[in-house]
Amino acid sequence: MQASALRLLVATNVRLARAFLQWQQEQVADRSGLHRTYIGGIERGERNITIDNIERLAHAFGIPAWHLLNQDFNPKTLFSDASTGR
């Protein structure tokens, strides 16, 4: 079965956020309370993620959950210099 467009959008946005913050999957897992392999499955579009877990990921990134569902997701506009350590 092929992943839905929305699942792939979430996968891309999670991957973009993590890459922008320069976090490893383990860091996202620790901050969200999800397993590292589950994070990898989300980023590959293999997991049919629940709304609750989208919310957990968004909380880990410090952003509102709807951003992970946004086609115009841009981590540069969401994350301040303080949160990235830059």
Side-chain angles (χ1 to χ4, degrees):
M1 181 176 168
Q2 192 173 13
S4 73
L6 187 56
R7 189 186 312 175
L8 293 175
L9 176 64
V10 171
T12 299
N13 290 348
V14 168
R15 203 170 39 251
L16 286 172
R18 184 176 65 78
F20 183 81
L21 294 170
Q22 298 180 343
W23 291 356
Q24 299 296 317
Q25 287 178 347
E26 284 210 11
Q27 289 171 282
V28 177
D30 289 344
R31 291 170 183 256
S32 65
L34 300 170
H35 196 275
R36 181 193 52 79
T37 59
Y38 184 75
I39 301 299
I42 292 167
E43 289 188 359
R44 291 187 301 276
E46 297 170 351
R47 295 294 190 159
N48 189 13
I49 186 171
T50 66
I51 294 296
D52 290 342
N53 286 341
I54 290 172
E55 189 172 46
R56 290 170 83 171
L57 285 169
H59 181 73
F61 291 132
I63 61 175
W66 67 267
H67 283 290
L68 294 177
L69 302 168
N70 186 354
Q71 276 188 305
D72 298 321
F73 182 82
N74 184 349
K76 291 178 187 175
T77 62
L78 291 177
F79 301 113
S80 69
D81 289 346
S83 68
T84 61
R86 294 180 198 187

